[in-house]
């Protein structure tokens, strides 16, 4: 009965667990998924982005971030900051308004929802009567003006959201004050725009969709001027001095209107169709910015010729004779201009154009010649090409870090040197304790290096593998080149490009050695590239080697894609990581596992057919091992093939049903034994049962058949210097785990350094372990004599780790999807196991060794296993005794892509994709926690007899 019992809780260990483990979701990296609204406060110099899921995010200087979430999860339609306040108003697609504030709480500030409000009309009125279309926060900071579909303009008090009914501006009141010969020509219809007079807060400009524009006197409740356009109105913009305003229209035109002193209808000064005379798309928004040299900046969205360029997403900038139409690869959501916000300034003097597109944020420097883009320090478009894999490297040495930054700076020379213009708030978070890299592989064959040390995920360097191969696209093509006479003057901007020239280029596995600077990347078509870091541009030939994983076995025919064709002769590479050898797997299937040992100069790779070992110093294939089972026909069809045998699928389904019936009959036949066990349990001492917990009932896990498809799929590869043949001599070894629950161990003979180039590396199979339950092997680990995981290659040589204990006996930990099992070495006899699936009903998806330090003392830390299951839970399991320490729910079990994308760090943090463009960062450690911490200063403002004292708000920006 002892195996059915487990000891009670140890209070000392429980206290230690509280000092070691704590789960927090800390920050979201990347670009918000499905953005829907944009706002900007010139006063706070903060930008706000709303999404279709109801999230609202505020950004300022790098590291200054706030986040809130509407309970309704409705689309955010509009965002408006209250002038000179740490407040903003959001309008959702359910017509509700929400007031948000940055407020201090417990010594830190947070973005908090203060009030919510839905405008309601009189009983029986249609929904359009109160459907809000335009919002104007008045400079008095006391009221909001809400324009509606019915043409009514309601006045709402702040912060209470009380409707001031006596101040409502009705269409009837507007038309009464317009001469009769004009009011009969049109009705008001919906309110498109509301704009406050820049010099007189008692006047607002009202724009109705049918091109009626009215300047309204708020004090006397009457129309001062009215303006009649000939085309449907889209938007309005005041010039700085208030003498003129600009209207833009559905036909792609914009019009200047003078504001005279007498009460009469004003005629337009000038009507312009910038991309006429052919029919053009609507200009949905426009800015008219004055400058010291007298030439204004005219900046507008849309207006392209409808027939030829109607599908373009563009924003045009006109300044004198200079004109450019910035062409975006995704739909433009909104944009704003950063200009002088000083009321005493005579000119606008614009400095930057900020554009929120559906898939990226683009900032254009309007001060520099040629209007270059500004490199963003955050809101990176992670999915500029779809992410296919990721790899995290902790504690990068300073020399490697500087070399990567140097290579990236040469790539970014076309960016503007302008400081980031959205610089509100101050980042007061402590400096990151170490330098961390997050590497993402992409569908287009690129690898991007991100600075993952702090709150801002910043792109350092981009590596492309395309140059090694022959593809349809020429890497020297420049999409930005324009002919001198080309019209419209389109110029592509942004990095989002979802289209891949060839899906075979996709990166599937990455392995970086931070000590040697060697990098291995593997792709969809069986290509494995080994690279080294070079600080200068270079031109050289990439050596090729082929690895036939089928080893000429008969009866197998590859039905998938062909391998990529390589370039002949020397290839020119930019400074950075440059490939020097290419290993091509045959058949060219997806590379499913990769390992690099920079000290031995070896790289191991695996596919669904087998695995191989390559000596990248001698550029020689050491060996290949075919793991294909005779039934693994699906492994020969390839990931890009849609051919699948229905007959085979049905046959496998019936076999599983037959096996489950047989096993259930066996369980029914053994009922007598179960009753005897129950009788024995009844006689057991009751006092002992009260003191100890019963172990949970284990689920019956049926062994998988060897005939199940993809059993030869290589899931994991691992290098170790351990005892494989006998207990007296240790040697280099390579371990491989497959989808069928098989572990292969090869003994390696690596010549000493002085004879490394003269003698070949030799390999010999020493062990083969078949797990009885045949579950896929997802992790292999060797523990030294102190039960500590073996250090990384070259880690001991750099004095960053203790030498492994080679005196005591080593242990082998094999992690399958269903259980953890410890074997002794070199005999490989079973010592200990934890049946995760039998106990918990879940399967292992990701596993890694993480070091957890105590938050109470720097003297204690321990190595544990961080495990992600198919249910989205994260479990921490102790080494070497395999005791479950704690469990945290992290990812929804329905979020299969999020679970598949998860990557752990060496110090108990992790990342996973919550959308194609965003990583959620989490921490399992009490000691290692990266989260925003910032302060926003509100300067003293005196206007309209409202005085606001300077105050500071500090934020820990933690999501509730």
């Amino acid at each position: 009965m002892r195996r059915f019992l487990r000891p009670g809780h140890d209070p000392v260990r429980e206290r230690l667990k509280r000092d070691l483990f704590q789960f927090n979701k800390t920050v979201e990296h990347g670009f918000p998924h499905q953005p829907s609204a944009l706002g900007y406060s010139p006063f706070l110099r903060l930008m706000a982005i709303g999404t279709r899921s109801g999230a609202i995010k505020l950004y300022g200087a790098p590291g200054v971030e706030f986040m809130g979430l509407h309970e309704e999860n409705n689309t955010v339609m509009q965002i408006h900051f209250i002038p000179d306040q740490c407040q903003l108003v959001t309008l959702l697609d359910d017509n509700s308004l929400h007031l948000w504030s940055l407020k201090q709480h417990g010594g830190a500030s947070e973005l908090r929802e203060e009030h919510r409000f839905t405008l309601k009309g009189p009983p029986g009125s249609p929904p359009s009567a109160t459907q809000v279309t335009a919002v104007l926060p008045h400079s008095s900071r006391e009221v909001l003006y809400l324009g509606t579909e019915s043409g009514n303009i309601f006045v709402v008090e702040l912060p209470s959201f009380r409707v001031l009914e006596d101040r409502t501006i009705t269409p009837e009141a507007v038309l009464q004050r317009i001469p009769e010969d004009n009011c009969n020509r049109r009705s008001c219809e919906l309110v498109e725009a509301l704009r406050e007079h820049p010099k007189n807060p008692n006047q607002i400009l009202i724009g109705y969709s049918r091109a009626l524009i009215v300047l309204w006197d708020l004090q006397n409740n009457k129309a001062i001027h009215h303006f009649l356009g000939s085309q449907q109105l889209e938007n309005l913009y005041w010039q700085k001095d208030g003498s003129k305003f600009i209207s833009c229209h559905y036909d792609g035109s914009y019009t200047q209107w003078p504001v005279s002193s007498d009460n009469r209808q004003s005629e337009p000064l000038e009507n312009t169709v910038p991309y006429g005379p052919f029919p053009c798309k609507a200009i949905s928004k426009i800015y008219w910015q004055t400058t010291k040299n007298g030439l204004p900046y005219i900046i507008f969205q849309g207006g392209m010729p409808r027939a030829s360029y109607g599908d373009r997403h563009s924003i045009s900038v006109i300044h004198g004779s200079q004109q450019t139409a910035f062409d975006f690869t995704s739909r433009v959501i909104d944009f704003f201009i950063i200009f002088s916000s000083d009321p005493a300034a005579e000119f606008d003097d614009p400095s930057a154009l900020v554009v929120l597109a559906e898939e990226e944020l683009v900032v254009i420097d309007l001060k520099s010649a040629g209007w270059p883009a500004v490199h963003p320090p955050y809101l990176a478009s992670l999915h500029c090409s779809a992410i296919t894999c990721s790899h995290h490297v902790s504690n990068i040495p300073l020399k490697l870090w500087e070399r990567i930054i140097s290579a990236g700076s040469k790539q970014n020379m076309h960016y503007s040197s302008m400081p980031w213009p959205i610089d509100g708030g101050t980042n007061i978070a402590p400096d990151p304790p170490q330098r961390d890299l997050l590497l993402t592989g992409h569908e287009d064959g690129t690898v991007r290096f991100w600075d993952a040390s702090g709150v801002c995920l910043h792109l350092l360097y981009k590596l492309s593998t395309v140059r090694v191969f022959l593809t349809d696209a020429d890497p020297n093509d420049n999409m930005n080149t324009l002919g001198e006479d080309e019209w419209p003057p389109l110029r592509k901007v942004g990095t989002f490009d979802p289209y891949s020239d060839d899906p075979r280029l996709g990166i599937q596995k990455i392995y970086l050695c931070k000590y040697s600077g060697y990098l291995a990347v593997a792709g969809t078509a069986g290509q494995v590239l080994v690279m080294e870091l070079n600080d200068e541009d270079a031109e050289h030939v990439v050596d090729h080697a082929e690895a036939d994983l089928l080893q000429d076995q008969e009866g197998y025919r590859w039905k998938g894609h062909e391998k990529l064709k390589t370039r002949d002769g020397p290839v020119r590479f930019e400074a950075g990581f440059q490939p020097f050898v290419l290993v091509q797997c045959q058949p060219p299937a997806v590379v499913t596992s990769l390992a690099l040992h920079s000290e031995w100069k070896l790289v191991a790779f695996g596919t669904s057919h087998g695995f191989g070992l390559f000596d990248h110093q001698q550029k020689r294939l050491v060996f290949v091992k075919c793991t294909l089972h005779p039934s693994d026909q699906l492994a020969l069809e390839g990931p890009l093939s849609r051919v699948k045998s229905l007959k085979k699928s049905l046959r496998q389904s019936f076999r599983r049903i037959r096996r489950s019936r047989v096993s259930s009959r066996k369980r029914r036949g053994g009922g007598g034994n179960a009753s005897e066990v129950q009788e024995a349990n009844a006689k057991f001492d009751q006092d002992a049962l009260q003191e100890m917990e019963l172990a949970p009932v284990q689920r019956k896990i049926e062994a998988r058949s060897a005939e199940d498809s993809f059993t030869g799929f290589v899931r994991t590869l691992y290098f170790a210097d351990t005892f494989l043949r006998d207990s007296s001599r240790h040697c280099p070894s390579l371990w491989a785990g497959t989808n069928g629950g098989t572990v292969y161990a090869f003994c390696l003979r690596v010549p000493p350094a002085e004879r490394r180039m003269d003698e070949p590396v030799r390999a010999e199979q020493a062990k083969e372990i078949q797990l009885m339950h045949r579950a896929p092997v997802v992790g292999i680990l060797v523990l030294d004599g102190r039960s500590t995981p073996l250090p990384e290659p070259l880690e001991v040589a750099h004095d960053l780790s203790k030498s492994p204990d080679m005196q005591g006996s080593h242990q082998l930990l094999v992690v399958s999807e269903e259980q953890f099992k410890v074997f002794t070495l070199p005999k490989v006899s079973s010592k200990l196991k934890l049946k995760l699936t039998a106990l918990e009903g879940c399967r292992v998806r990701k596993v890694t060794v993480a070091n957890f330090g105590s938050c109470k003392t720097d003297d204690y830390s321990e190595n544990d296993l961080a495990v992600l299951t198919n249910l989205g839970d994260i479990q921490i399991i102790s080494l070497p005794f395999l005791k479950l320490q704690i469990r945290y729910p992290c990812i929804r079990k329905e979020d299969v892509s999020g679970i598949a994308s998860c990557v752990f760090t060496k110090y108990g943090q992790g990342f996973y994709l919550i959308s194609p463009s965003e990583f959620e960062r989490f921490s399992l450690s009490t000691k290692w926690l990266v989260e925003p911490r910032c302060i926003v200063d509100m300067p003293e403002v005196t206007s309209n007899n409202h005085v606001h004292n300077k105050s500071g708000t500090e934020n820990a920006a933690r999501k509730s």
Side-chain angles (χ1 to χ4, degrees):
M1 284 303 298
R2 287 180 182 172
R3 68 190 187 94
F4 288 97
L5 301 171
R6 61 186 182 193
H9 295 295
D10 179 2
V12 176
R13 181 61 189 172
E14 291 301 313
R15 283 197 300 270
L16 183 58
K17 281 159 59 172
R18 287 195 291 271
D19 295 343
L20 293 173
F21 312 124
Q22 183 181 16
F23 179 74
N24 289 288
K25 290 185 178 179
T26 55
V27 67
E28 293 175 3
H29 296 301
F31 185 77
H33 185 50
Q34 295 181 326
S36 56
L38 177 69
Y40 178 67
S41 169
F43 172 69
L44 298 175
R45 298 183 73 82
L46 294 178
M47 171 180 66
I49 295 176
T51 70
R52 290 190 205 172
S53 60
I56 178 170
K57 301 184 178 185
L58 271 63
Y59 301 93
V64 178
E65 295 186 15
F66 298 87
M67 179 178 171
L69 185 65
H70 295 88
E71 289 183 7
E72 296 81 1
N73 290 341
N74 287 57
T75 299
V76 180
M77 302 299 292
Q78 296 183 36
I79 302 173
H80 300 273
F81 281 88
I82 308 299
D84 305 335
Q85 294 285 302
C86 286
Q87 291 182 314
L88 64 153
V89 171
T90 56
L91 171 68
L92 305 190
D93 64 351
D94 64 354
N95 206 41
S96 63
L97 287 158
H98 302 255
L99 178 66
W100 297 80
S101 297
L102 284 170
K103 283 206 169 180
Q104 212 169 49
H105 175 70
S109 75
E110 57 191 21
L111 183 64
R112 184 183 298 174
E113 186 176 354
E114 297 289 319
H115 298 284
R116 66 187 62 190
F117 164 75
T118 301
L119 190 62
K120 295 179 181 178
S125 61
S128 62
T130 54
Q131 184 67 44
V132 178
T133 56
V135 179
L136 172 63
H138 195 261
S139 60
S140 66
R141 304 180 288 280
E142 294 175 349
V143 292
L144 286 178
Y145 290 88
L146 307 177
T148 62
E149 277 188 6
S150 62
N152 287 299
I153 299 168
F154 295 92
V155 185
V156 177
E157 191 177 52
L158 286 177
S160 63
F161 278 135
R162 182 171 64 90
V163 179
L164 305 177
E165 296 182 1
D166 57 323
R167 295 173 62 177
T168 299
I169 305 171
T170 63
E172 294 77 17
V174 171
L175 293 174
Q176 280 176 7
R177 289 162 175 79
I178 294 176
E180 292 184 8
D181 57 334
N182 292 322
C183 73
N184 293 330
R185 289 172 52 188
R186 69 195 74 199
S187 62
C188 290
E189 285 199 353
L190 67 85
V191 179
E192 285 284 0
L194 293 170
R195 298 286 181 264
E196 183 179 336
H197 195 292
K199 299 296 183 183
N200 186 353
N202 293 318
Q203 295 178 3
I204 62 170
L205 201 60
I206 307 169
Y208 297 94
S209 63
R210 297 190 68 176
L212 171 63
I213 305 167
V214 174
L215 183 61
W216 189 262
D217 186 340
L218 298 174
Q219 277 188 332
N220 300 312
N221 207 30
K222 67 175 185 179
I224 301 174
H225 294 285
H226 68 279
F227 312 84
L228 293 173
S230 58
Q231 294 290 334
Q232 179 178 318
L233 181 71
E234 293 289 324
N235 220 320
L236 298 170
Y237 187 79
W238 277 106
Q239 289 193 19
K240 190 174 182 69
D241 60 1
S243 63
K244 294 189 286 288
F245 69 88
I246 316 297
S247 63
C248 54
H249 301 272
Y250 182 77
D251 67 339
S253 67
Y254 64 83
T255 305
Q256 290 188 69
W257 301 87
V259 179
S260 57
S261 56
D262 55 339
N263 186 2
R264 60 180 176 81
Q265 177 185 341
S266 297
E267 296 297 326
L269 285 175
E270 182 183 4
N271 184 66
T272 306
V273 184
Y275 295 112
F278 302 106
C280 295
K281 295 198 73 175
I283 294 179
S284 56
K285 188 173 182 179
I286 191 165
Y287 279 81
W288 184 288
Q289 300 279 283
T290 57
T291 61
K292 293 177 183 177
N293 64 10
L295 294 174
Y297 277 86
I298 306 167
I299 303 167
F300 56 87
Q301 177 184 346
M304 285 282 121
R306 190 175 292 274
S308 304
Y309 300 94
D311 60 341
R312 300 298 183 99
H313 313 290
S314 69
I315 290 181
S316 299
V317 181
I318 303 173
H319 179 58
S321 60
Q322 190 177 359
Q323 180 168 349
T324 300
F326 293 104
D327 188 13
F328 300 86
T329 53
S330 58
R331 184 172 61 93
V332 173
I333 302 297
D334 201 354
F335 74 99
F336 62 84
I337 308 298
I338 296 178
F339 56 91
S340 174
S341 57
D342 182 5
E346 188 178 352
F347 304 101
D348 292 308
D349 200 21
S351 58
L353 161 66
V354 181
V355 183
L356 176 66
E358 198 166 36
E359 306 292 353
E360 61 185 330
L361 182 82
V362 178
V363 177
I364 305 296
D365 177 5
L366 298 177
K367 289 287 191 183
S368 302
W371 299 333
V374 181
H375 192 49
Y378 50 71
L379 285 175
S381 184
L382 299 175
H383 64 316
C384 43
S385 174
I387 294 176
T388 49
C389 66
S390 52
H391 174 67
H392 188 276
V393 188
S394 299
N395 207 6
I396 302 292
L398 179 60
K399 186 175 180 181
L400 176 64
W401 186 264
E402 290 174 343
R403 293 177 71 190
I404 291 173
I405 290 177
S406 175
S409 63
K410 294 176 183 177
Q411 295 178 337
N412 297 332
M413 291 180 68
H414 62 283
Y415 281 110
S416 167
S417 59
M418 164 190 266
W420 185 244
I422 305 165
D423 55 2
T426 306
N427 178 21
I428 59 170
D431 292 335
Q434 60 187 29
R435 295 169 293 274
D436 289 353
L437 273 180
L438 179 66
L439 282 68
T440 54
H442 297 264
E443 192 180 44
D444 62 354
T446 58
V447 178
R448 286 170 167 81
F449 291 64
W450 304 93
D451 177 0
S453 313
V455 172
C456 295
L457 195 68
H458 180 60
L459 181 64
L460 298 178
Y461 165 69
K462 184 180 83 170
L463 161 71
S464 177
T465 62
V466 178
R467 287 184 177 274
V468 180
F469 306 102
L470 287 169
T471 59
D472 295 334
D474 185 350
N476 295 318
D477 284 349
N478 186 356
M479 300 179 73
N480 288 339
T481 54
L482 288 174
E484 291 183 5
D485 300 326
E486 185 169 337
W487 188 262
L490 288 164
R491 187 175 108 198
K492 278 213 177 289
V493 288
T495 58
F496 180 71
D497 183 11
Y499 306 107
S500 173
D501 299 322
D502 193 327
R504 296 174 296 173
L505 290 167
I507 305 297
Q508 297 296 330
K509 295 291 174 183
I510 306 169
Y511 197 104
L512 172 67
C513 175
K514 61 186 178 183
Y515 303 112
S516 64
Y518 282 115
L519 172 70
V521 297
T524 303
Q527 70 270 28
V528 180
L529 285 162
V530 186
M531 312 185 186
E532 59 184 343
L533 193 54
N534 190 344
D535 298 328
E536 302 295 334
D537 294 4
E539 188 172 356
H540 60 259
V541 175
V542 178
D543 291 304
H544 297 78
E546 207 160 271
D548 182 10
L549 296 173
L550 292 182
Q551 297 175 308
D552 301 323
Q553 296 192 32
E554 296 182 1
Y556 293 101
R557 186 170 64 87
W558 172 247
K559 303 174 186 176
H561 50 262
E562 296 180 353
K563 68 176 184 179
L564 285 160
K565 294 179 181 178
T566 55
R567 294 181 183 273
D568 296 326
V571 182
R572 183 159 189 83
F573 297 102
E574 297 176 339
F577 286 94
Q578 299 173 351
F580 61 88
V581 67
L582 165 67
V583 184
Q584 178 62 57
C585 299
Q586 287 290 8
V590 173
V591 177
T592 57
S593 54
L594 185 68
L596 177 72
H597 201 292
S598 48
E599 188 173 357
W600 301 336
K601 304 292 194 297
L602 298 175
V603 60
F605 48 88
T607 71
S608 52
H609 308 119
F611 60 96
L613 181 66
F614 186 79
D615 178 355
H616 65 74
Q617 184 167 1
Q618 292 188 9
K619 297 174 184 174
R620 171 183 165 275
L621 189 66
V622 178
F623 77 91
V624 291
K625 170 72 175 177
C626 181
T627 57
L628 215 57
H629 189 274
S631 67
D632 280 354
Q633 290 300 318
L634 285 179
L636 293 168
E637 293 182 0
L640 304 180
S641 169
R642 302 189 180 197
V643 182
K644 187 171 182 179
S645 170
L646 178 62
K647 191 186 298 182
K648 184 175 179 66
S649 299
L650 290 171
R651 191 186 308 125
Q652 290 172 345
S653 300
F654 282 119
R655 281 175 181 164
R656 291 192 184 98
I657 293 170
R658 199 179 303 123
R659 286 200 301 270
S660 64
R661 284 176 178 170
V662 170
S663 60
S664 64
R665 282 199 295 270
K666 287 180 181 178
R667 286 196 294 272
R668 285 197 298 271
N673 295 333
S675 62
E676 292 175 9
V677 172
Q678 290 175 357
E679 290 176 11
N681 288 345
K683 296 175 183 178
F684 197 86
D685 185 3
Q686 297 297 320
D687 295 334
L689 285 174
Q690 289 174 0
E691 293 177 4
M692 306 181 78
E693 292 182 345
L694 279 170
V697 178
Q698 294 188 8
R699 294 166 174 81
K700 176 65 177 176
I701 305 300
E702 297 170 9
R704 305 185 190 200
S705 168
E707 296 180 359
D708 286 353
S709 293
F710 287 110
T711 56
F713 186 116
V714 180
R715 292 285 291 267
T716 184
L717 291 163
Y718 177 70
F719 285 108
D721 186 357
T722 188
F723 300 94
L724 196 54
R725 293 191 180 279
D726 56 59
S727 56
S728 60
R729 288 180 302 171
H730 56 90
C731 65
S733 62
L734 172 65
W735 301 75
T738 72
N739 224 37
T742 306
V743 177
Y744 300 95
F746 279 76
C747 187
L748 308 178
R749 183 189 173 278
V750 182
E754 61 271 13
R755 299 195 304 274
R756 184 65 179 82
M757 288 300 293
D758 303 325
E759 298 179 13
V761 175
R762 301 193 182 278
E764 183 181 352
Q765 184 169 339
K767 307 285 183 185
E768 181 175 335
I769 308 167
Q770 178 61 60
L771 302 179
M772 294 300 292
H773 57 295
R774 296 184 183 275
V777 177
V778 296
I780 297 172
L781 183 67
V782 172
L783 305 175
D784 68 6
R786 293 187 294 263
S787 298
T788 302
L790 295 182
E792 295 178 22
L794 297 175
E795 191 173 10
V796 175
H798 285 75
D799 296 327
L800 295 171
S801 174
K802 293 180 180 178
S803 297
D805 184 351
M806 293 298 184
Q807 304 303 317
S809 59
H810 285 199
Q811 301 172 79
L812 170 69
L813 171 63
V814 177
V815 182
S816 74
E817 282 190 356
E818 296 179 2
Q819 69 180 25
F820 300 77
K821 199 163 187 177
V822 176
F823 299 89
T824 60
L825 287 176
K827 290 184 178 180
V828 194
S829 56
S830 179
K831 181 180 179 182
L832 184 67
K833 64 182 173 183
L834 171 64
K835 296 180 179 179
L836 190 73
T837 306
L839 296 174
E840 308 285 344
C842 56
R843 296 183 184 275
V844 177
R845 286 288 176 260
K846 304 274 182 176
V847 62
T848 194
V849 176
N851 182 269
F852 293 92
S854 170
C855 62
K856 297 288 180 67
T857 174
D858 294 334
D859 298 333
Y860 183 81
S861 68
E862 65 181 41
N863 291 308
D864 297 289
L865 291 176
V867 180
L868 175 69
T869 72
N870 63 325
L871 302 180
D873 293 337
I874 291 178
Q875 303 188 9
I876 299 175
I877 296 172
S878 67
L879 286 174
F881 301 112
L882 303 183
K883 299 293 183 184
L884 176 62
Q885 300 301 299
I886 204 155
R887 180 192 297 108
Y888 300 111
C890 180
I891 311 173
R892 291 182 303 107
K893 64 181 180 182
E894 299 84 9
D895 187 4
V896 179
S897 61
I899 293 172
S901 66
C902 183
V903 57
F904 289 107
T905 78
K906 193 177 177 181
Y907 295 99
Q909 296 186 68
F911 303 82
Y912 68 93
L913 288 172
I914 53 175
S915 73
S917 60
E918 290 173 290
F919 273 114
E920 175 81 72
R921 186 177 193 137
F922 62 87
S923 175
L924 306 170
S925 170
T926 57
K927 188 173 183 180
W928 298 90
L929 198 64
V930 174
E931 58 183 353
R933 197 168 171 78
C934 48
I935 186 167
V936 176
D937 289 322
M938 194 171 79
E940 184 177 340
V941 176
T942 305
S943 62
N944 296 342
N945 297 323
H946 291 266
V947 180
H948 300 266
N949 294 323
K950 182 174 179 179
S951 65
T953 60
E954 186 182 304
N955 173 38
R958 293 177 56 163
K959 298 193 319 177
S960 56

